Amino acid sequence: MALFPAFAGISGAPDGGSARKELDWLSNPSFCVGAITSLSQQPEEVTALVSEGSPLTRSPLKSEPSDESDSNKKPKQTSRKKKKEKKKKRKHHHKKIKRKHGQTSSSGSEPDSEPDKDKNSRSIGDSKKESEKPSREDNAAAAAAIGHRLVWLEDIQALNGGETFRTDKKPDPANWEYKSLYRGDIARYKRKGDSCLGINPKKQCISWEGASTEKKPSHKHVERYFTKKSVVLMNMDGVAVGSKNEPPSSEPISFIPVKGLDEVVPPVTTWLNPLGIYDQSTTQWLQGQGPSEPESKQPDSQTDRESALLKAKVEEFNRRVRENPRDIQLWMAFVAFQDEVMKSPGLYAIEEGEQEKRKRSLKLVLEKKLAILERAIESNQSSVELKLAKLKLCTEFWEPSTLVKEWQKLIFLHPNDTALWQKYLLFCQSQFSTFTVSKIHSLYGKCLSTLSAVKDGSILSHPALPGTEEAMFALFLQHCHFLRQAGHSEKAVSLFQAMVDFTFFKPDSVKDLPTKGQVDFFEPFWDSGEPRAGEKSARGWRAWMHQQERGGWVVIGADDEDDEPEDEDQEIRDKSLPKWQIWLAAERSRDQRHWRPWRPDKSKKQTEEDCEDPERQVLFDDISPSLIQLSSPDLRFQLVAAFLQFLGVPSDLSPPASCLYLAMDENSIFDNGLHDEKPLTSLNLSFSGISCVGRSDPLGCRRWTRGHNREGEEFIRNIFHLVMPLFSGQERSQLCFSWLRYEMAKVIWCLHTKNKKRLKSQGKNCKKLAKNLLKEPENRNNLCLWKQYAHLEWLLGNMEEARKVFDSALSAAGSRELRDWEVCELSLLYAELEVELLPDPRGASAARAVHVLTRLTESGPYGPYSGPVLAVHILKARKAYEHALQDCLGESWVCSPAPTAPAAPCHRLISLVKCFMLFQYLTVGIDAAVRVCEQVYAKLKGSASSGGSSPEDAGSAQSPSSVLEAVMLMHTSLLRFHMKVSVYPLAPLRQALSEALQLYPGNQVLWRSYVQIQSKSHTASKTRRFFDAITRSTKPLEPWLFAIEAEKMRKTLVESVQRVDGRDVHTTIPETGLTHRIKALFENALRSDSGSQCPLLWRMYLNFLVSSGNRERSKGVFYKALQSCPWAKVLYLDAVQHFPEEMQEILDLMTEKELRVRLPMEELELLLED
C-alpha cells in the first residue's frame, strides 16, 4: 500500500529497478486496507442506530435489571476508565477542548467542556438502552464499540440541533447537602449597585449576601510627630520657594531685583483669549498645540531646579579640578561637597525607590569621597593631607591591621613630617585591638630617634622641616604623660632624669657627635650606678666623665641618718573591708610611694636581685631611643619646667596643645580654690586638669598640692638645687618663684583643711625657704620673691610683718615711677591685699591701697602709710596713669600687632592697666575702672583672634592678645569683688565674661567664673545658647567640659530642692530632662578627636551614669572608653570601683594590655592570709 494514495500508481508502474529504489519510501508495507474499512463503518452503524430509534427522552431513574449481561457492563466500565484517564491528561497539560460546531449554553454560564461531554455521551447511551432493549444481544458488539471510544457530534450526520440536548430531570443529591449550587454551574457576572431589574423598588428590595460595594470609612489613627513616618518627614530638607524658573547658576546671587508696576506687560487679547486672562500654555492648549521645545525642557518643580543646580556645581567642580589638579584645597572642598550632594533629593537616583536609600546611605558617600581622593592622589603623589584624608576615610572600610600597614607606608615615605608622626602615634595609641604598652612605648622611641636622625642630617633624602625641634619636644612630653597614665611612672621619671643629664651636663668631647653617637657615650654613665638628677649628691654626666678620666669617684662614706625604712604595713589597714576596696587602696598607695625608679643602694650592698618588683628597675634600653637634643635655650628651660610640673610643682607652663587633652585625667579644672573667697589675690595654681606623678585619686577629690612623702619632697628639692645654677636672670627668678609658690600651695591646703599643727610646721618651712632664697646674692633685689614672701606672711596672719616687707621692698626699689613692671606688680598685690582685708571699700584699708597706688606714680622715695591721701595727689596720680597708658598704647608693637612682642613692654602694659583700673575703682568707682578696660580693649581688639589663645600665652605675655587676656581677667575679678562687697547687677559681669570667652575659649579661669555666676540663675536658656554658640565655632574642649559641669551643678541644685534630709518633698523646680541633656552633651563632646581621646571626659561620663543608677549603660560606656583610651589606668581603677563584680576581668584586661598592676591578686591573697 502506498504511503500517499495519489502516488499508488507510481509505485506499481513497471519501471526499472533504479526508479523503484528511489520511490520505495512512498510505500508503507505495514498498512492493511481492511483495518481502515472496518474503522470507517463504525460511525455509520451508530448513525443508523440512532436514526432508527424514537426521539431522545430521559427515562425515570431506576436501577439496571438483574438479567443484564456482563457484555453490557464491561464496555461501560472500560469507557468510564478511559474518560477519567483522558480527563486527567487534559487537566495535566492545561488544555481545554472546544467544539467547533453546535455548542450552546442554556444558562449563560461558562461550564467546563468535560462535564458537557460526559452528559452528552450519557444521554446518548440512555436513549439507546430504551429503544434497543429487544435487540440488545444482537448489537452487543456495536454497543461495546461505542462505549469503547469517544464519538464526536460532527461524525453523527443525522442528528438535528434540537435533538442533541434534552431536559435532565435527574435530581442532584448535592443540592440537599450544600446551601447553593455548584459554583461552576453559576454564571459569572459583576453586580452594579444593589437593585434588581423587574422589581418595584418602593415595595420590594433584595438583601444581598456577601461584601457590600460601598467602601467602609477608613478610621486611620492620627500619627504624631514622633512616629517613624513623621520623623522621616521632619528630617527631609525644606522646599525653597521660588517665583520664577531661571536657569541654574553655580554663582551666588548677590542681588535679587523686585519687579515694579512699570515692568508688568499689559495682556494681549485675541479671539481665543478675549479677556487676556489665559497664559501662553493655556492658549496653546486651546489651539491644540503643545509647549515649545525649550519650555518643555525647563524644570518645573523645585526638586528639579535643585538637582539642576547641584549638577551645575558638580560640573563646575569637575572642570576646576581638571584645570587645576594640583590645587589640594580644591580637592578637599570637592570631597566635603559630597555631603551636600547626598543630602539633596535624588540627584543620582536611578529608580523610584532609590532616592531615599541613596540619601541615607553613608557607605555610598564614603565610596564617592574615596574615589575623589584617589583621583586627587594620582595628581598629587606627595600630598600628605590627601593621604591622611584617605586613611581617615578608610577607617570605616579596612581592618586595623590593613590600616596600620598603610600608615607605615606613609610614614616611610615622609619620615620628616612631625605632624604625620603625631597622628600616627595617636592612631596606634587608640586602637584597642592592637594596643599594648610595650608596643606604643617602642613606637615613641622609633619616632623620636627617626626625627633626631632627620634633624642631624643622617637621613639625606629628607631634610628637616621648620619647627622640628619644638615638635620633638612636644612628642617627648606626650611620651612621658603616656607612661605616667599607663602606670609606668618609673620609666617616665627616668626619661626626664636622662634628658636633664643629656641636655645640661653633656661633656664637651661628645657635643659634635650625632644624637646616636652621644647616646652610645651616655650608656656607660647610666649603667655606672652614679647618682642621677633628683638623687642625693648628683653631679651630672660631665663631672662623672672627667672623674673617670682621672680614675673614678672617691667614696667618702654614706649618711645613714635619713635611712628610715618605709612603713609597708600601712597598705592594708582594715582587712574586714571588701576585697576590691582593699586592692584599690593598696594599689593607689603603691602608686603614690613607688613612682621613683628603684636602684640598688651600694652603701647597703644591694644588688639588682634585691628588688622585690622588677618593673621598678629601668634599663637603658627602655629610654635610649627617646633621648633627643635640645639646642634652643627656651626649650631647655621648658624641659626643666615640664619636669617640675610633672612632679606636681605649679607652673605657668602648660603642655603643648597637641598633648594637652591627652594628658587631662582629673577634674581640678573645675576647682576654684580660694578664688571665690579672694577674687583679687587668689593664687592661680593652673593645674590644667593634669594630675602629677603618683596620683590616681578617684574622680571628685579636690586637687590641692598636698605634697609627696618625705623621699618625694627630697627628690624635688634636689632637682631645684641641681638646675637653679644652670640659669640666670628672669629664668632663675621664675624657678625660685615656682619653688616658693609650691610651698605656699601646701600652706593654703593646710589653711583650707584647718590643720593647725601641720600649718605651723609648713609655714615655718616655707618662711625658711623664702629667707634662704632671698639671702642669695642673685635674689637680694628680686622683687618677685619679695612679693611672694610678703604674701606668705599675709596668709599666715602676720599683717604688720607683711606690711613691713612690702614697705622695705618698695623703698629699696627706688623711684622708678611706672616704668618698672616688677614695682607695679609689687604695689598692685600690696593694694589688693589691703582692699580685701575689710569689706568696706571706703575704709582705712582702701585708704592704704590708694596711698600705695599714688606713691607709685611719684618720683620721690617711697614712704609708709601715714594718713589719707590728699585730693591733689590723687589728681596728679590719675594724670600720670593716663599719660603712661597713652604712651604704652602708642608704641609700635601695639599699633601694628605681631605674633610676638618684647617681653618687658608687654609686662609693663599689663601691670600698668591693672594698677590704673584698681586706682580708678578706689577713687572714682567701678564704672571708671570699666572704662579703662574698654579703652584698652578697643585698642587691642584687632590683635585678638577669634580662636583665642591658650593659657600659656597669657602666662608668658609675649603678644598683644595675651595682654588683652590678662586685662580681661583683671576686669572680671574686679567686678566679682565689687559684687561681693556691694549691691551691683549681674549683667555687666556676665557680658564681660561672655566677650572674654568668645575671644579666649580655652581659658579655664574665665570659664570657672562664668559657670559660678550662671549657676545662681534660675533660667538656663541664655547659658545654654551661649555654650552652644561657643562649641559650634571653636575647637577647644574646655567649652564642652564646662557646659557639662554647668548642667551638673544645675541638676544638683534641683535635687537639693526636691530632697531634704533624704526624704522626697514636692517638686518646686521641674527636672526638665537635665539627665538627658547632660548625656547629649557628653555624646557630642566625644564625637571630636580631642574629646574621644580625653581620659577626663570619659571618667566624667562614666561617673555620671553610675551616679544616675544606670549600671548597664555604664558598663557599655566603660568598654567604649577603652576603645579610645586603652592606656589610661585611671579608667580601669574607676571601673573596679563602680563594678566590683567585674574586678578579676578588669585586672586580666590590664595585664593583657601591659598596664602596670603593682599589687597582683595573688599577692593580695597572701597579704590577707597573713
Side-chain angles (χ1 to χ4, degrees), residues 464-666:
L465 299 176
T468 300
E469 190 172 352
E470 290 79 3
M472 289 169 63
F473 177 68
L475 289 172
F476 172 80
L477 292 183
Q478 184 175 323
H479 186 193
C480 294
H481 283 292
F482 164 77
L483 291 173
R484 172 186 64 81
Q485 290 177 322
H488 296 269
S489 304
E490 299 91 346
K491 292 181 180 178
V493 173
S494 296
L495 267 176
F496 274 114
Q497 287 179 305
M499 276 298 296
V500 169
D501 273 314
F502 194 74
T503 303
F504 297 103
F505 301 100
K506 189 179 299 180
D508 297 333
S509 57
V510 300
K511 285 185 178 180
D512 297 332
L513 296 175
T515 305
K516 190 176 184 304
Q518 296 180 12
V519 170
D520 292 339
F521 276 96
F522 185 69
E523 182 175 4
F525 165 72
W526 186 264
D527 292 336
S528 64
E530 297 301 323
R532 302 166 188 167
E535 298 176 2
K536 191 174 182 180
S537 305
R539 297 174 176 85
W541 181 21
R542 185 189 301 115
W544 176 85
M545 197 83 161
H546 291 323
Q547 191 64 32
Q548 285 295 312
E549 294 172 357
R550 298 174 185 174
W553 294 113
V554 178
V555 180
I556 300 175
D559 279 336
D560 295 335
E561 57 184 64
D562 292 334
D563 293 339
E564 297 179 4
E566 295 183 4
D567 191 4
E568 299 284 352
D569 296 334
Q570 295 299 317
E571 286 183 348
I572 302 178
R573 293 186 175 89
D574 188 1
K575 294 185 180 182
S576 62
L577 292 174
K579 186 185 293 186
W580 66 271
Q581 291 186 8
I582 298 174
W583 181 84
L584 271 179
E587 182 74 15
R588 284 171 174 153
S589 174
R590 290 192 177 186
D591 271 338
Q592 189 174 359
R593 291 184 290 109
H594 296 164
W595 52 267
R596 296 174 309 282
W598 186 90
R599 301 187 64 202
D601 190 351
K602 294 183 179 180
S603 62
K604 297 180 181 179
K605 298 181 180 180
Q606 291 180 345
T607 60
E608 294 180 355
E609 286 75 14
D610 295 330
C611 182
E612 297 179 357
D613 187 0
E615 289 291 330
R616 293 186 62 189
Q617 301 184 52
V618 181
L619 305 178
F620 184 73
D621 292 339
D622 295 332
I623 63 167
S624 58
S626 301
L627 297 179
I628 58 176
Q629 292 191 69
L630 297 177
S631 57
S632 168
D634 188 24
L635 288 180
R636 290 180 171 218
F637 178 73
Q638 288 185 32
L639 172 66
V640 174
F643 188 17
L644 293 172
Q645 190 181 36
F646 190 81
L647 298 175
V649 178
S651 172
D652 291 331
L653 177 72
S654 238
S658 58
C659 65
L660 173 62
Y661 302 121
L662 288 171
M664 261 191 194
D665 51 7
E666 51 97 18

Side-chain angles (χ1 to χ4, degrees), residues 14 33 129 380 409 496 614 708 732 1159:
V33 181
K129 283 187 281 184
N380 304 273
K409 292 178 183 177
F496 274 114
H708 298 278
R732 182 185 177 90
L1159 181 61

Side-chain angles (χ1 to χ4, degrees), residues 355-537:
Q355 170 182 336
E356 197 65 22
K357 294 178 184 178
R358 285 181 178 263
K359 184 178 179 182
R360 301 296 179 189
S361 176
L362 175 62
K363 188 176 181 181
L364 181 66
V365 182
L366 296 177
E367 289 175 350
K368 197 159 187 62
K369 289 181 178 181
L370 187 60
I372 295 172
L373 286 172
E374 287 175 351
R375 279 182 54 200
I377 293 173
E378 289 177 2
S379 304
N380 304 273
Q381 295 286 345
S382 60
S383 173
V384 180
E385 184 179 0
L386 291 174
K387 294 177 181 177
L388 281 175
K390 180 184 175 182
L391 284 175
K392 186 176 181 181
L393 207 62
C394 290
T395 310
E396 305 290 336
F397 296 101
W398 295 347
E399 293 293 328
S401 57
T402 309
L403 277 172
V404 169
K405 291 179 182 178
E406 292 297 322
W407 270 105
Q408 290 173 352
K409 292 178 183 177
L410 190 57
I411 286 292
F412 180 76
L413 293 175
H414 307 279
N416 59 338
D417 194 332
T418 55
L420 189 62
W421 275 108
Q422 166 77 15
K423 292 181 173 62
Y424 176 47
L425 289 169
L426 287 182
F427 168 77
C428 295
Q429 195 169 325
S430 304
Q431 292 294 315
F432 178 77
S433 58
T434 59
F435 170 84
T436 57
V437 172
S438 60
K439 186 183 296 185
I440 303 301
H441 175 60
S442 61
L443 194 60
Y444 271 104
K446 181 181 178 182
C447 165
L448 292 172
S449 59
T450 304
L451 289 175
S452 296
V454 170
K455 183 173 174 289
D456 295 338
S458 303
I459 302 179
L460 301 177
S461 57
H462 293 81
L465 299 176
T468 300
E469 190 172 352
E470 290 79 3
M472 289 169 63
F473 177 68
L475 289 172
F476 172 80
L477 292 183
Q478 184 175 323
H479 186 193
C480 294
H481 283 292
F482 164 77
L483 291 173
R484 172 186 64 81
Q485 290 177 322
H488 296 269
S489 304
E490 299 91 346
K491 292 181 180 178
V493 173
S494 296
L495 267 176
F496 274 114
Q497 287 179 305
M499 276 298 296
V500 169
D501 273 314
F502 194 74
T503 303
F504 297 103
F505 301 100
K506 189 179 299 180
D508 297 333
S509 57
V510 300
K511 285 185 178 180
D512 297 332
L513 296 175
T515 305
K516 190 176 184 304
Q518 296 180 12
V519 170
D520 292 339
F521 276 96
F522 185 69
E523 182 175 4
F525 165 72
W526 186 264
D527 292 336
S528 64
E530 297 301 323
R532 302 166 188 167
E535 298 176 2
K536 191 174 182 180
S537 305

